[in-house]
Amino acid sequence: MDIGFVGTGSMGAPMVRQLLESGHHVTVHNRTRAKAEALAKEGARVVATPAEAAEGAEMVITMVADDGAELAVCEGPDGILASGPGGLHCACTTLGVATARALAERHREAEQAYLSCPVFGRPEAAAAGRLWILAAGPAEAFQRARPALESMGQGVFELGDDPVAANALKLAGNFTLMAMIETLGEAFALGEAYGIEPQRVLEVVNTSLYGSHVMEAYGKLIAGGDFKDAGFAAHLGYKDARLAQAAAEAGPVPMPLLAVVREALAETVARGRGDWDWAALGGLARERAGNRS
Amino acid sequence: MDIGFVGTGSMGAPMVRQLLESGHHVTVHNRTRAKAEALAKEGARVVATPAEAAEGAEMVITMVADDGAELAVCEGPDGILASGPGGLHCACTTLGVATARALAERHREAEQAYLSCPVFGRPEAAAAGRLWILAAGPAEAFQRARPALESMGQGVFELGDDPVAANALKLAGNFTLMAMIETLGEAFALGEAYGIEPQRVLEVVNTSLYGSHVMEAYGKLIAGGDFKDAGFAAHLGYKDARLAQAAAEAGPVPMPLLAVVREALAETVARGRGDWDWAALGGLARERAGNRS
Amino acid sequence: MDIGFVGTGSMGAPMVRQLLESGHHVTVHNRTRAKAEALAKEGARVVATPAEAAEGAEMVITMVADDGAELAVCEGPDGILASGPGGLHCACTTLGVATARALAERHREAEQAYLSCPVFGRPEAAAAGRLWILAAGPAEAFQRARPALESMGQGVFELGDDPVAANALKLAGNFTLMAMIETLGEAFALGEAYGIEPQRVLEVVNTSLYGSHVMEAYGKLIAGGDFKDAGFAAHLGYKDARLAQAAAEAGPVPMPLLAVVREALAETVARGRGDWDWAALGGLARERAGNRS
Amino acid sequence: MDIGFVGTGSMGAPMVRQLLESGHHVTVHNRTRAKAEALAKEGARVVATPAEAAEGAEMVITMVADDGAELAVCEGPDGILASGPGGLHCACTTLGVATARALAERHREAEQAYLSCPVFGRPEAAAAGRLWILAAGPAEAFQRARPALESMGQGVFELGDDPVAANALKLAGNFTLMAMIETLGEAFALGEAYGIEPQRVLEVVNTSLYGSHVMEAYGKLIAGGDFKDAGFAAHLGYKDARLAQAAAEAGPVPMPLLAVVREALAETVARGRGDWDWAALGGLARERAGNRS
């Protein structure tokens, strides 16, 4: 395929290399041109504007820093939207939903197809062609883009017609990472208050709790939304949350994330669900949003 | 070994079966005697009091509902502490640190050895001999108890001389599960606001983010405590937290756990660490407790 | 003065009446014209566009629903910005800081003076001329606007040259109200768990704790930033937070705001400030933002 | 009256002085005897044990550091409970509900009357006889104690038969203070990010928002539990919470308490109550605890 690629930074450059290795023709643009030039030796053609990268290409991919940078490469006389009707734009940048929605609309007006295609993976994963790609937008556009997307990642999730869904899911995924980091930080701090090294806490938690697909098991329970058959009852979970907090009084160890789940378990019990499985905590989170599973 | 076992409920009964299958002689006691009787057919001897279970045994194991139940089987004329000096008690019950500390002291006064041995695993894991056991207490007592502990689980972690450390780590582990449940619940609610089914959110998150030992990688970063070489910068994480929150305004979707990590990322940036890896969030959690890694 | 007024809803209409009663000439515009017409009987002149309200007036005041409505009355061929150079615009709408900053810039380009003038007070206060007005922007513009502002409120706070400061302070004030509402809600729920009616909790708390300028006293302590001379030590506050949480276990009563302050008190103690006055909690909040008082 | 008083520290000493000035006979005990001796010059009789302070007195008052100190002066051969049947004990110490409940029971067994009488006020208020006293316990005991209680404070709230209610309300009151301190700290930090001094934030907030009995007004709304007639709609409050948070991104300013109320407002809107008065936030707090007002 003839592919335009805008944004050849730490993520974009290895993505371009994957495309070249798969035999695609790639025309690249980067705001700081020197970064793009480095790819010329590897077979990419370098151009001066985003519009030039898009013109004549079967599709153009963007991978830039943030919402502002994405708008900058789309708008104006040199922008992708100015490259004429019929194009296809896959935005791999992590964008906010408002920006993604606005972009989808602007492309429609310009008679260009638009896909939101944010990715999971760090630069090392990009270099190894092991990104995961979340793609959403019109099915026909997705079919056109699929070969290029598959060249860049180990898997592509198709998420329906509304481009914004892919952005929301990317953000939801990053949220789970933040939550995990904070969780580990608090768990380590608690361990340290009892003389246990963080490495040891990590080893025990990772071996004991995460070896057996626990996230999948709990995820299915929460997704199913039926908590009445308790494996581990919510009132026991509430008790353990209180005991964890009592343990944290040595030090003391501030644990704000524990505080949140403790109060949510208290609410679960106060609402008369103490005998349900403690995964009901996850059900309450959905219920707060007005969802009834 | 001759082993006493107190508490033959949904966790205790399968643990006794594992001991019997490994060839140990087991004397059992349960407050509701009928539950203990069921094990008689499988070779256990049933007795009327915790003290009788402990007397003459090389070690006694307890697995009861909570701190109050544990104290009840230890204290009084029929309790384990009344069974005379020289005994060894492994408490597998999930106990608070204050109760564990008091028990350790009481056993010392009664000239009995005490180990805290809480376990990770649900009844199915107990039935399959696949519990993970966290053991802490005097090394000599641990050596005596090891064969029995290994009969009940797929692995035993030795956590040093202070019994309380095992209880703290068990609670820290349960905290990570609660956090994961709440995280999934909020992520599902966010997905639903954009028309993505929870099962699909689970599949994407589990495949993309948790397939590659991500918890171990982040755990090592946080344990190491050096965040200056950023794989993904904290200010970008803060940006994504804000975008996730903006995405949650559709609905709206209340996300209290996201709110906690968002504020912690704000603090990370405000303290001048925006260029550090976002795992610095975990470092801040340790620092709040006065730890300097 | 000749004053234009845009937005004659539940807040705007009584503000216009105050201006008329003070002898000003007022030209009004409202998107739904009928609402503006009601004021015609009381002496206001009704016009069809925001631009007409601004043209020829010494100043134009806006009081509309939100950021979007404010932009709508400013922009376009019928907007305030189109009314020609030399004007003075006081925006009483509660605006976000980004919108206020953008408006200030747009007025500068249009050679019009701009003041942010958000108000505290509900419609009853507006009707009684008892609003409080927070004004920020160029001093010269403030001097021109002062007589009109004073006609509408019982007091005007001048907050310096940067219009955005007034918007930030308005939002900070609204935040203190939300916090108070949540605080009361949680305190009532806790009281109810012990058979105390909310009205009684309110009476006791309001009489005992808020009769003696307690907010001013604590505010001065926190503003001063010196907590070493303790009236009530932080470690005692932390103890009380834990006791309050233990009390909430009857029910249980979920108290997420208590959870936040409890963890912040834990951090205060963990950072070695247990002997400082518990107002150090407020100091920590400032410090988290990188401020060193 | 003949009154025993145990605990003559920074709060107890001025309380004893108030009793002496009102003409009561006071027998005092303090663990560190020197502190008690200072009161001898002012007319108090000093004794060696809590039991001696209680013996022969019409009532004994305790004002010690915490739950442990209270138990220490009640229990054992020298404790208040050993002073024989018929006594009356008013515990002014701030106690946890579990300790208060246990004390009430122990006094019943010892045939002594027990009142929980925690106080609001710092040492200066005690010295001026301006404490507020929360009293709960048997009505007959309260009548006996009333003259002494009135000598020590500017007001006494009678809170019914269950002593624990007074302790819960004292803790609820202290919670409102913590919440206020954290609120001010966050509001100050937000103001500082826009160049407004904390003193100025305090002045504006205190003058504009708290001059007009706002806490009472909101308290009544929340206590009443009917939010359908909106003075200020919850969806506008949610908008302002988001704008406040956007304002806090300058800096950035971490605001964990704002985060809690923001999510609660999101839940209020998600549950279909966006048109209700924003005091519905307080109603939600009660509802989370299973209360339906």
Side-chain angles (χ1 to χ4, degrees):
Chain A
M1 289 179 76
D2 273 317
I3 301 170
F5 200 105
V6 176
T8 57
S10 61
M11 286 298 291
M15 290 165 77
V16 168
R17 282 191 195 100
Q18 288 296 317
L19 291 170
L20 291 169
E21 280 176 27
S22 301
H24 299 288
H25 297 262
V26 190
T27 304
V28 299
H29 167 76
N30 196 65
R31 202 174 44 174
T32 308
R33 190 177 175 119
K35 281 192 190 169
E37 295 292 357
L39 292 162
K41 292 168 237 163
E42 304 177 45
R45 188 166 67 95
V46 182
V47 293
T49 67
E52 288 175 71
E55 277 157 21
E58 291 166 77
M59 65 184 285
V60 60
I61 298 170
T62 49
M63 187 54 160
V64 295
D66 55 23
D67 293 44
E70 184 73 33
L71 291 172
V73 301
C74 288
E75 297 176 339
D78 292 333
I80 289 167
L81 290 160
S83 65
L88 163 59
H89 175 193
C90 294
C92 293
T93 307
T94 298
L95 298 174
V97 293
T99 298
R101 185 161 285 132
L103 279 181
E105 178 59 26
R106 301 287 296 279
H107 282 78
R108 202 174 299 123
E109 290 165 9
E111 291 172 46
Q112 298 184 1
Y114 172 79
L115 295 173
S116 277
C117 300
V119 304
F120 283 122
R122 292 192 168 206
E124 311 84 79
R130 297 196 58 77
L131 296 176
W132 292 95
I133 300 175
L134 315 184
E140 178 269 340
F142 176 73
Q143 290 313 325
R144 282 159 65 195
R146 186 199 282 270
L149 297 176
E150 287 180 346
S151 301
M152 295 188 297
Q154 64 178 306
V156 180
F157 294 97
E158 192 182 355
L159 295 161
D161 286 348
D162 182 6
V164 168
N167 304 96
L169 190 47
K170 160 73 184 179
L171 294 168
N174 273 12
F175 156 63
T176 69
L177 290 179
M178 291 170 210
M180 190 201 63
I181 293 170
E182 175 73 17
T183 300
L184 288 176
E186 294 188 15
F188 288 178
L190 182 56
E192 286 178 295
Y194 290 88
I196 313 171
E197 290 294 304
Q199 283 283 11
R200 187 74 169 154
V201 175
L202 177 63
E203 182 195 354
V204 171
V205 166
N206 225 356
T207 308
S208 309
L209 294 177
Y210 295 93
S212 48
H213 304 295
V214 72
M215 179 172 280
E216 195 167 336
Y218 276 110
K220 282 184 178 162
L221 252 174
I222 302 167
D226 182 4
F227 308 108
K228 280 178 193 146
D229 189 17
F232 185 67
H235 70 88
L236 293 175
Y238 177 48
K239 181 205 68 168
D240 283 0
R242 284 177 288 154
L243 291 178
Q245 201 161 42
E249 284 164 17
V253 180
M255 297 182 71
L257 194 153
L258 171 59
V260 165
V261 291
R262 182 195 188 285
E263 298 311 310
L265 282 163
E267 183 173 352
T268 303
V269 173
R271 288 185 183 274
R273 304 166 188 176
D275 291 334
W276 295 12
D277 193 274
W278 70 337
L281 186 65
L284 183 63
R286 294 173 65 196
E287 197 176 313
R288 264 191 227 111
N291 305 324
R292 297 286 175 280
S293 50
Chain B
M1 289 179 75
D2 273 318
I3 301 172
F5 200 106
V6 177
T8 58
S10 60
M11 285 296 293
M15 290 164 76
V16 168
R17 281 189 196 101
Q18 288 296 317
L19 291 170
L20 291 169
E21 281 176 26
S22 302
H24 300 288
H25 297 261
V26 190
T27 304
V28 300
H29 166 77
N30 196 65
R31 203 174 42 175
T32 308
R33 191 178 174 119
K35 282 193 189 167
E37 296 291 357
L39 291 162
K41 292 168 237 165
E42 304 177 46
R45 187 167 67 95
V46 181
V47 293
T49 67
E52 287 175 71
E55 277 156 22
E58 292 165 76
M59 65 185 286
V60 61
I61 298 169
T62 50
M63 188 54 160
V64 294
D66 56 23
D67 294 45
E70 183 73 33
L71 291 172
V73 301
C74 289
E75 296 176 340
D78 293 334
I80 289 167
L81 289 161
S83 66
L88 164 59
H89 176 194
C90 295
C92 291
T93 308
T94 298
L95 297 175
V97 294
T99 298
R101 186 161 285 131
L103 280 181
E105 178 59 25
R106 300 288 297 278
H107 282 78
R108 203 173 298 124
E109 290 164 9
E111 291 173 45
Q112 298 183 1
Y114 173 79
L115 295 174
S116 276
C117 301
V119 306
F120 284 120
R122 291 191 167 206
E124 311 84 79
R130 298 195 59 77
L131 297 176
W132 292 95
I133 301 175
L134 315 185
E140 179 271 337
F142 177 72
Q143 290 312 327
R144 282 158 64 195
R146 185 199 283 268
L149 297 176
E150 288 180 345
S151 301
M152 295 187 298
Q154 63 178 308
V156 181
F157 294 98
E158 192 183 353
L159 295 161
D161 286 346
D162 182 6
V164 169
N167 304 96
L169 190 47
K170 161 73 185 179
L171 294 167
N174 273 13
F175 156 64
T176 68
L177 290 179
M178 293 170 207
M180 189 200 65
I181 293 170
E182 173 75 18
T183 300
L184 288 176
E186 295 188 14
F188 289 178
L190 182 56
E192 285 178 296
Y194 289 88
I196 314 171
E197 288 296 303
Q199 283 283 9
R200 186 73 168 154
V201 175
L202 178 62
E203 181 195 354
V204 171
V205 166
N206 226 355
T207 309
S208 309
L209 294 177
Y210 295 95
S212 49
H213 304 294
V214 72
M215 181 173 280
E216 195 167 335
Y218 277 111
K220 282 185 179 163
L221 251 175
I222 302 168
D226 181 4
F227 308 107
K228 283 180 191 144
D229 189 16
F232 186 66
H235 71 89
L236 293 175
Y238 177 49
K239 181 205 67 170
D240 283 359
R242 282 177 289 153
L243 291 178
Q245 202 160 40
E249 284 163 19
V253 180
M255 298 183 72
L257 196 152
L258 171 58
V260 165
V261 292
R262 182 194 189 284
E263 298 311 310
L265 282 164
E267 183 174 349
T268 303
V269 174
R271 287 185 184 276
R273 303 167 189 173
D275 291 334
W276 295 12
D277 193 275
W278 69 338
L281 187 63
L284 183 63
R286 295 172 66 196
E287 197 176 313
R288 265 190 226 113
N291 304 325
R292 299 285 176 281
S293 50
Chain C
M1 290 179 73
D2 274 317
I3 300 172
F5 200 106
V6 177
T8 59
S10 61
M11 286 296 293
M15 290 164 77
V16 167
R17 282 190 194 99
Q18 289 296 315
L19 291 170
L20 291 167
E21 280 176 27
S22 301
H24 299 288
H25 298 262
V26 189
T27 304
V28 300
H29 167 76
N30 196 63
R31 202 174 42 172
T32 309
R33 190 177 175 119
K35 281 193 188 166
E37 296 291 357
L39 292 161
K41 295 167 234 163
E42 303 176 48
R45 186 167 68 94
V46 181
V47 293
T49 67
E52 288 175 71
E55 278 157 21
E58 292 165 76
M59 64 185 286
V60 60
I61 297 171
T62 50
M63 186 54 162
V64 294
D66 55 23
D67 294 45
E70 184 73 33
L71 291 172
V73 300
C74 289
E75 297 176 339
D78 293 334
I80 289 168
L81 289 160
S83 66
L88 163 58
H89 175 194
C90 294
C92 292
T93 307
T94 297
L95 297 174
V97 294
T99 299
R101 184 161 287 133
L103 279 181
E105 178 58 26
R106 301 287 295 277
H107 283 77
R108 203 173 298 123
E109 290 164 9
E111 290 173 46
Q112 298 184 1
Y114 173 78
L115 293 174
S116 276
C117 300
V119 305
F120 284 122
R122 292 190 167 208
E124 312 85 78
R130 297 196 59 75
L131 296 175
W132 292 95
I133 300 174
L134 314 186
E140 179 271 339
F142 176 73
Q143 290 312 324
R144 283 157 66 196
R146 185 197 284 268
L149 297 176
E150 287 179 346
S151 300
M152 295 187 299
Q154 63 179 307
V156 181
F157 293 98
E158 192 184 353
L159 293 162
D161 286 347
D162 181 7
V164 169
N167 303 96
L169 190 47
K170 161 72 185 178
L171 294 168
N174 273 14
F175 157 64
T176 69
L177 290 178
M178 293 170 208
M180 189 200 64
I181 292 170
E182 173 74 19
T183 300
L184 288 175
E186 295 188 16
F188 288 178
L190 182 56
E192 285 178 296
Y194 290 88
I196 314 170
E197 288 295 303
Q199 283 282 10
R200 188 70 168 155
V201 175
L202 177 62
E203 182 196 354
V204 171
V205 166
N206 226 356
T207 310
S208 308
L209 293 178
Y210 296 93
S212 49
H213 304 295
V214 71
M215 180 172 279
E216 196 168 336
Y218 277 110
K220 283 186 177 162
L221 251 174
I222 301 167
D226 181 5
F227 309 108
K228 284 183 189 142
D229 189 16
F232 185 66
H235 71 89
L236 293 174
Y238 177 49
K239 182 205 64 169
D240 283 1
R242 283 177 287 154
L243 291 177
Q245 202 161 41
E249 284 163 18
V253 180
M255 297 181 72
L257 196 153
L258 170 58
V260 166
V261 292
R262 183 195 188 284
E263 299 311 310
L265 282 163
E267 183 174 351
T268 303
V269 173
R271 287 185 184 275
R273 303 165 188 175
D275 290 334
W276 296 11
D277 194 274
W278 71 337
L281 186 64
L284 183 62
R286 294 172 67 196
E287 198 176 311
R288 264 191 228 112
N291 304 324
R292 299 285 176 280
S293 51
Chain D
M1 291 179 74
D2 275 316
I3 300 170
F5 201 106
V6 176
T8 58
S10 62
M11 287 296 292
M15 290 165 77
V16 168
R17 282 190 194 99
Q18 289 295 315
L19 291 170
L20 291 168
E21 280 176 26
S22 301
H24 300 288
H25 297 262
V26 190
T27 303
V28 299
H29 167 75
N30 196 65
R31 202 174 42 174
T32 308
R33 191 176 175 120
K35 281 193 188 166
E37 294 293 356
L39 292 161
K41 292 168 238 165
E42 303 176 46
R45 187 168 67 95
V46 182
V47 292
T49 67
E52 288 176 70
E55 276 156 22
E58 291 166 76
M59 64 184 286
V60 60
I61 297 169
T62 49
M63 187 54 161
V64 294
D66 55 23
D67 293 45
E70 184 73 33
L71 291 172
V73 301
C74 288
E75 297 177 340
D78 292 335
I80 289 166
L81 289 161
S83 66
L88 164 59
H89 175 193
C90 294
C92 292
T93 307
T94 297
L95 297 175
V97 293
T99 298
R101 185 160 286 132
L103 278 181
E105 177 58 25
R106 302 287 296 277
H107 282 78
R108 204 173 298 122
E109 289 165 9
E111 290 173 45
Q112 298 183 1
Y114 172 79
L115 296 173
S116 276
C117 300
V119 305
F120 284 121
R122 292 191 166 206
E124 313 82 79
R130 296 194 61 76
L131 296 176
W132 293 94
I133 300 176
L134 314 185
E140 178 271 339
F142 177 72
Q143 290 312 325
R144 282 156 67 195
R146 186 197 283 269
L149 296 176
E150 287 180 346
S151 301
M152 295 187 299
Q154 65 178 306
V156 181
F157 294 97
E158 192 184 353
L159 294 162
D161 286 348
D162 182 7
V164 169
N167 304 95
L169 190 47
K170 162 71 185 180
L171 294 168
N174 273 13
F175 156 64
T176 67
L177 290 179
M178 291 169 210
M180 188 200 65
I181 293 170
E182 174 74 18
T183 301
L184 288 176
E186 294 188 15
F188 288 179
L190 182 56
E192 286 177 295
Y194 290 87
I196 313 171
E197 288 295 302
Q199 284 282 9
R200 187 71 168 155
V201 175
L202 178 62
E203 182 195 355
V204 171
V205 167
N206 225 356
T207 309
S208 308
L209 294 178
Y210 295 94
S212 49
H213 305 293
V214 71
M215 181 173 279
E216 197 167 335
Y218 277 110
K220 282 185 177 162
L221 251 174
I222 302 168
D226 181 6
F227 308 109
K228 282 179 191 145
D229 190 16
F232 185 67
H235 70 89
L236 293 175
Y238 177 48
K239 181 206 66 169
D240 283 0
R242 283 176 288 154
L243 291 178
Q245 202 160 41
E249 284 163 18
V253 180
M255 296 182 72
L257 196 152
L258 170 58
V260 165
V261 294
R262 182 194 189 286
E263 299 311 310
L265 282 163
E267 183 174 351
T268 303
V269 173
R271 287 184 184 277
R273 304 166 188 175
D275 290 334
W276 295 12
D277 193 274
W278 71 338
L281 186 65
L284 182 63
R286 294 172 67 197
E287 198 176 310
R288 264 190 227 114
N291 305 323
R292 298 284 176 282
S293 51

